[in-house]
């Protein structure tokens, strides 16, 4: 079984910074793409950022130049550095990863961590 566990959420004032971390554990061969999604109240879950196994990154337009995704393949972790936070960044943030296990490549989700940005 594979588990993704997020940490680092919290309450911050607009303009501030937070760093989210996600650690994968369990039995698997490798981790392919790793992503951060977010879901605000009453809205659909949206992709925030993605990083491939070789470090190629993608960002949603709404977070470009403010957020940075990184990963440590040796530790099976992915981080999201969030700077210049805005109230509209308030959401539950979820870690997602494509994990290669014995039966193939499967997607796993973390439990989510709340980020609240006050104005």
């Amino acid at each position: 079984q594979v588990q993704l566990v997020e940490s680092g959420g919290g309450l911050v004032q607009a303009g501030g910074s937070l760093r989210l971390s996600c650690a994968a554990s369990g039995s698997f061969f490798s981790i392919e793409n790793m992503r951060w999604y977010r879901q605000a109240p009453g809205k659909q879950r949206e992709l925030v950022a993605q990083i491939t196994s070789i470090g190629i990154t993608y960002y949603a337009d709404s977070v470009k130049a403010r957020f940075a995704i990184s990963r440590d393949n040796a530790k099976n972790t992915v981080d999201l550095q969030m700077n210049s936070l805005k109230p509209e960044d308030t959401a539950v943030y979820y870690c997602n990863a494509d994990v290669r296990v014995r039966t193939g490549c499967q997607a796993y989700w973390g439990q989510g961590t709340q980020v609240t940005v006050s104005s």
Side-chain angles (χ1 to χ4, degrees):
Q1 186 69 12
V2 176
Q3 285 189 322
L4 300 180
V5 178
E6 300 108 332
S7 60
L11 173 64
V12 65
Q13 287 189 333
S17 298
L18 280 176
R19 188 176 184 88
L20 305 182
S21 295
C22 173
S25 62
S27 180
F28 53 88
F29 296 116
S30 64
I31 302 176
E32 307 300 326
N33 297 333
M34 302 186 83
R35 308 174 187 89
W36 287 96
Y37 283 81
R38 68 186 180 187
Q39 187 166 20
K43 294 189 176 182
Q44 288 189 331
R45 191 172 296 190
E46 63 173 351
L47 176 63
V48 175
Q50 173 179 282
I51 186 166
T52 70
S53 59
I54 58 172
I56 297 171
T57 59
Y58 161 84
Y59 296 95
D61 287 343
S62 58
V63 306
K64 277 181 182 176
R66 299 189 298 122
F67 289 11
I69 189 171
S70 60
R71 66 188 285 174
D72 185 328
N73 290 334
K75 296 181 179 179
N76 297 315
T77 59
V78 60
D79 291 348
L80 186 68
Q81 177 66 42
M82 305 185 294
N83 300 323
S84 302
L85 282 161
K86 305 175 181 180
E88 50 264 45
D89 294 318
T90 295
V92 178
Y93 284 70
Y94 296 91
C95 176
N96 166 266
D98 298 326
V99 182
R100 194 160 298 279
V101 295
R102 184 178 58 83
T103 53
C105 196
Q106 297 184 15
Y108 291 87
W109 291 88
Q111 80 285 357
T113 185
Q114 177 70 46
V115 171
T116 302
V117 184
S118 63
S119 57

